[in-house]
């Protein structure tokens, strides 16, 4: 069974304090790994897709990396507006377009 | 692009009543997904459609839940009869093959 585990569950940082969120996964053949951001009361918002080990993608203060067992979301010099829950999901080669999500990391950036 | 549109945004109903949630996917997207989100279980896939055909409904909790997609621009998720444990936020998402999903804003369902 495909599984995704995210850590930590919650993270509180000061503005400008860089850190990383972890997503460990087990999947029977990875088609893609997805990162989403979710603000309270809203649906998840797509950030990145990574397809193969060694791949990296960046968007503003966020950079996502991928290995064969885990992915990291690096946040550099975060701002209060980066506060949100960050969700990781995997899509297996089998199972068509189904995404299996982790529980998320709730990130709070204090000014 | 209006995005994925869900209605209603909030629904409060009594136990035993029928509940119907609605979703309009993004025009041109060929896949539609229904997810349920709770604090305990996170985001769980209930069912998804490809080209209006149900592909995987293994996440539907029990026979009280049913979903339809009569055409490419509309889908419903029905719960009959509803129970308090069905209280959750229900999300609809759509995608074009092998692309990331776009989620709607969700329907917060409370069954009392």
């Amino acid at each position: 069974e495909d599984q995704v585990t995210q850590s930590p569950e919650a993270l509180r940082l000061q503005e400008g304090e860089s850190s990383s969120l972890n997503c460990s996964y087990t999947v029977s053949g990875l088609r893609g790994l997805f990162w989403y951001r979710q603000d309270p009361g809203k649906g998840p918002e797509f950030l990145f897709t990574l397809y193969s080990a060694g791949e990296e993608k960046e968007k503003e203060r966020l950079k996502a990396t991928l290995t064969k067992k885990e992915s990291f979301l690096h946040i550099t010099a975060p701002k209060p507006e980066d506060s949100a829950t960050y969700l990781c999901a995997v899509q297996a080669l089998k199972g068509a377009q189904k995404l299996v999500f982790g529980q998320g990391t709730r990130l709070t950036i204090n000014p | 692009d209006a995005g994925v549109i869900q209605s209603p945004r909030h629904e409060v109903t009594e136990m035993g009543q029928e509940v119907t949630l609605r979703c309009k996917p993004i025009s041109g997207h060929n896949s539609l997904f229904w997810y349920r989100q709770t604090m305990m279980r996170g985001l769980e896939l209930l069912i998804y459609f490809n080209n209006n055909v149900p592909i995987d409904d293994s996440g539907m909790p029990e026979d009280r839940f049913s979903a339809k997609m009569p055409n490419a621009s509309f889908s419903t998720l029905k719960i009959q009869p509803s129970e308090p444990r069905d209280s959750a936020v229900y999300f609809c998402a759509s995608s074009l093959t092998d692309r990331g999903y776009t989620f709607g804003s969700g329907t917060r369902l409370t069954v009392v």
Side-chain angles (χ1 to χ4, degrees):
Chain A
E1 183 180 335
D2 303 332
Q3 284 192 325
V4 178
T5 303
Q6 292 187 245
S7 62
E9 289 187 14
L11 180 63
R12 190 178 293 270
L13 301 172
Q14 290 298 120
E15 184 173 0
E17 181 183 1
S18 302
S19 188
S20 298
L21 312 182
N22 177 262
C23 170
S24 297
Y25 64 90
T26 54
V27 65
S28 52
L30 182 69
R31 179 190 294 270
L33 184 139
F34 297 74
W35 282 98
Y36 284 82
R37 168 191 171 128
Q38 186 174 23
D39 292 299
K42 296 188 177 181
E45 177 186 346
F46 173 73
L47 292 173
F48 305 109
T49 308
L50 302 167
Y51 294 103
S52 57
E55 188 175 359
E56 298 183 354
K57 290 200 176 167
E58 289 189 61
K59 180 180 180 180
E60 297 182 355
R61 295 174 293 282
L62 301 177
K63 183 169 79 172
T65 62
L66 181 65
T67 72
K68 289 187 178 180
K69 293 185 178 181
E70 57 190 351
S71 177
F72 292 93
L73 184 65
H74 306 278
I75 303 175
T76 302
K79 298 181 178 181
E81 54 261 42
D82 295 322
S83 298
T85 296
Y86 290 85
L87 297 163
C88 171
V90 295
Q91 187 178 63
L93 288 172
K94 295 181 181 179
Q97 297 164 272
K98 174 180 176 179
L99 289 186
V100 176
F101 282 85
Q103 291 281 79
T105 293
R106 189 172 65 255
L107 177 66
T108 303
I109 308 298
N110 295 316
Chain B
D1 185 352
V4 176
I5 299 173
Q6 291 188 246
S7 64
R9 285 300 311 275
H10 302 276
E11 176 80 40
V12 180
T13 190
E14 291 185 348
M15 182 174 62
Q17 296 298 305
E18 177 180 295
V19 176
T20 299
L21 311 182
R22 297 173 175 80
C23 175
K24 177 178 170 56
I26 291 174
S27 177
H29 281 191
N30 61 351
S31 296
L32 183 139
F33 308 82
W34 283 100
Y35 277 81
R36 176 170 69 176
Q37 187 174 41
T38 61
M39 289 293 292
M40 289 297 295
R41 300 175 68 90
L43 269 169
E44 301 175 281
L45 179 65
L46 299 176
I47 184 171
Y48 76 94
F49 298 83
N50 194 40
N51 294 323
N52 311 338
V53 176
I55 301 300
D56 183 351
D57 65 355
S58 59
M60 297 285 262
E62 41 195 279
D63 292 345
R64 298 185 296 107
F65 286 67
S66 63
K68 294 183 180 180
M69 191 165 186
N71 57 61
S73 59
F74 185 65
S75 177
T76 59
L77 178 67
K78 185 177 293 186
I79 307 172
Q80 166 64 20
S82 57
E83 297 182 2
R85 60 188 166 131
D86 302 330
S87 297
V89 181
Y90 290 81
F91 287 104
C92 175
S94 69
S95 76
L96 200 51
T97 305
D98 289 340
R99 305 286 177 85
Y101 295 5
T102 300
F103 282 82
S105 296
T107 295
R108 181 175 296 278
L109 173 65
T110 303
V111 183
V112 298

